[in-house]
């Protein structure tokens, strides 16, 4: 193994052409340099220097080693710089609702990643109830979360209306016990479905639980379940169900809001927040 310290001394000798001058250049004694050259020669099994009254010159093997020595010193320097950059690199931890991650990626998050290359943006998705809990446990710096109440410790981004929908010409909503698809536990939309379901309403049975809005919509379109779906996702393969007419729990207007970890805010997180808000304003609160 060729040690960096030995290569550094070898390069100094080659550049100075003299052990004494090389020793002065790198602040080592001449005897130390001689010992280091001997160790190098033992490592490679070749003579590296030719000594005479005028100083030292490199053998053919010495020339070959010098070429590699420069490359190894450069790699060593680059590795140290890279590790230093990694150590000092800022990390922002962002939580986004699973059903809206595509919307945010295509609107503003990719723009942030592209522009701020010195920052590592760590994005995690979850249902809003879990995101809010994890924020308070210190897992995030910023989250976007959905709730039916106005934010107390957050900032409202936009409101989102959900509707009960069924297949356009389907029969699932006509069943005595209605099959439904919902987002997972701790989702505020799911919570409101059960909170607002009264005994006088038709019974419901959860057939599908998924964080994927695409999966919910496909199950609705194929007449497997009915589901609460965001207004902007409703298409011509679906029909909107009136909760009063069909005996379904009413769905409130939901608020999408920003929540911050006050202990981890920096200028960079402020830039990310402003970018999210600017993109929401630019799209007129339509992140689809």
């Amino acid at each position: 193994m060729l040690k960096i310290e030995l290569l550094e001394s070898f390069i100094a000798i080659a550049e100075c052409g003299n052990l004494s001058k090389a020793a002065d250049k790198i602040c080592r004694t001449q005897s130390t340099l001689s010992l280091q050259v001997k160790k190098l020669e033992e490592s490679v099994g070749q003579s590296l220097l030719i000594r005479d009254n005028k100083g030292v010159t490199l053998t053919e093997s010495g020339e070959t080693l010098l070429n590699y020595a420069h490359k190894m010193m450069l790699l060593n320097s680059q590795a140290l710089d890279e590790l230093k950059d990694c150590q000092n690199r800022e990390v922002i931890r962002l939580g986004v609702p699973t059903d809206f991650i595509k919307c945010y990626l295509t609107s503003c998050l990719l723009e942030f990643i592209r522009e701020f290359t010195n920052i590592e943006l760590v994005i995690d998705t979850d249902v809003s109830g879990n995101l809010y809990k994890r924020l308070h446990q210190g897992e995030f710096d910023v989250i976007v979360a959905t709730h039916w109440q106005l934010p107390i410790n957050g900032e409202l981004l936009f409101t989102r209306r959900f509707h009960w929908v069924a297949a356009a010409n389907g029969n699932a909503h006509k069943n005595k016990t209605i099959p439904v698809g919902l987002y997972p536990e701790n989702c505020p939309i799911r919570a409101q479905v059960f909170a607002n379901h009264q005994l006088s309403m038709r019974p419901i049975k959860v057939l599908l639980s998924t964080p994927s809005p695409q999966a919910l919509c496909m199950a609705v379109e194929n007449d497997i379940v009915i589901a609460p779906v965001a207004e902007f996702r409703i298409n011509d393969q679906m029909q909107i169900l009136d909760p009063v007419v069909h005996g379904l729990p009413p769905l409130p207007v939901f608020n999408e809001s920003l929540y911050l970890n006050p202990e981890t805010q920096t200028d960079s997180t402020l830039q990310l927040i402003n970018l999210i808000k600017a993109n929401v304003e630019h799209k007129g609160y339509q992140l689809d």
Side-chain angles (χ1 to χ4, degrees):
M1 181 180 294
L2 300 176
K3 296 183 179 180
I4 293 297
E5 182 183 7
L6 302 184
L7 294 176
E8 181 185 22
S9 297
F10 179 68
I11 290 173
I13 295 169
E15 290 177 346
C16 295
N18 182 284
L19 285 175
S20 178
K21 292 179 180 179
D24 291 339
K25 180 178 180 179
I26 60 175
C27 301
R28 292 188 176 94
T29 64
Q30 189 170 333
S31 60
T32 297
L33 289 190
S34 296
L35 183 59
Q36 289 179 328
V37 170
K38 182 179 179 181
K39 288 182 179 179
L40 265 180
E41 289 178 331
E42 290 175 352
S43 296
V44 300
Q46 301 282 340
S47 296
L48 302 174
L49 301 177
I50 300 173
R51 298 170 176 82
D52 56 32
N53 294 332
K54 295 180 181 180
V56 295
T57 56
L58 299 182
T59 64
E60 184 177 349
S61 297
E63 293 285 358
T64 299
L65 179 61
L66 181 63
N67 180 46
Y68 282 103
H70 281 298
K71 293 178 181 179
M72 293 172 71
M73 292 297 295
L74 178 61
L75 283 173
N76 181 69
S77 178
Q78 290 175 344
L80 292 175
D81 289 342
E82 184 77 17
L83 289 170
K84 186 181 295 184
D85 289 342
C86 290
Q87 184 178 12
N88 298 327
R89 193 177 191 188
E90 184 175 355
V91 176
I92 297 178
R93 302 161 300 166
L94 172 67
V96 180
T98 305
D99 54 337
F100 284 138
I101 181 59
K102 180 179 178 181
C103 305
Y104 285 107
L105 276 175
T106 55
S107 63
C108 57
L109 298 185
L110 291 182
E111 182 180 342
F112 182 87
I113 296 168
R114 187 180 297 112
E115 182 174 351
F116 299 96
T117 55
N118 61 324
I119 298 172
E120 180 181 352
L121 181 61
V122 178
I123 304 172
D124 197 359
T125 61
D126 207 336
V127 293
S128 291
N130 291 342
L131 290 175
Y132 195 73
K133 179 180 179 181
R134 293 169 63 188
L135 175 73
H136 287 275
Q137 291 174 339
E139 293 185 36
F140 293 114
D141 304 304
V142 182
I143 66 167
V144 178
T146 305
H147 205 274
W148 63 89
Q149 296 177 336
L150 288 172
I152 299 176
N153 298 314
E155 182 175 357
L156 179 66
L157 286 174
F158 59 92
T159 58
R160 178 73 72 206
R161 183 172 293 278
F162 282 73
H163 296 282
W164 283 105
V165 295
N169 298 304
N171 296 302
H173 63 289
K174 300 176 183 178
N175 293 352
K176 184 176 181 181
T177 298
I178 306 177
V180 300
L182 295 173
Y183 291 114
E185 296 291 340
N186 287 334
C187 170
I189 302 164
R190 182 187 182 113
Q192 282 299 287
V193 168
F194 289 109
N196 295 331
H197 188 266
Q198 306 295 324
L199 291 176
S200 58
M201 296 176 180
R202 295 167 66 192
I204 60 176
K205 176 173 63 175
V206 179
L207 286 191
L208 173 66
S209 182
T210 175
S212 169
Q214 290 80 13
L216 280 182
C217 289
M218 288 181 64
V220 169
E221 293 166 0
N222 285 275
D223 199 27
I224 299 172
V225 300
I226 71 168
V229 172
E231 193 169 59
F232 75 91
R233 297 188 190 276
I234 299 174
N235 57 46
D236 57 8
Q237 297 182 60
M238 305 174 184
Q239 60 173 307
I240 296 178
L241 303 177
D242 186 318
V244 176
V245 173
H246 293 279
L248 297 169
L251 300 172
V253 173
F254 290 92
N255 303 298
E256 188 102 346
S257 305
L258 275 169
Y259 299 90
L260 315 178
N261 182 340
E263 298 180 0
T264 63
Q265 297 309 297
T266 65
D267 290 340
S268 300
T269 56
L270 179 60
Q271 288 176 307
L272 174 60
I273 291 165
N274 288 336
L275 185 60
I276 292 174
K277 290 161 60 177
N279 273 272
V280 169
E281 292 174 2
H282 175 70
K283 288 181 172 288
Y285 302 99
Q286 293 298 316
L287 288 180
D288 54 320

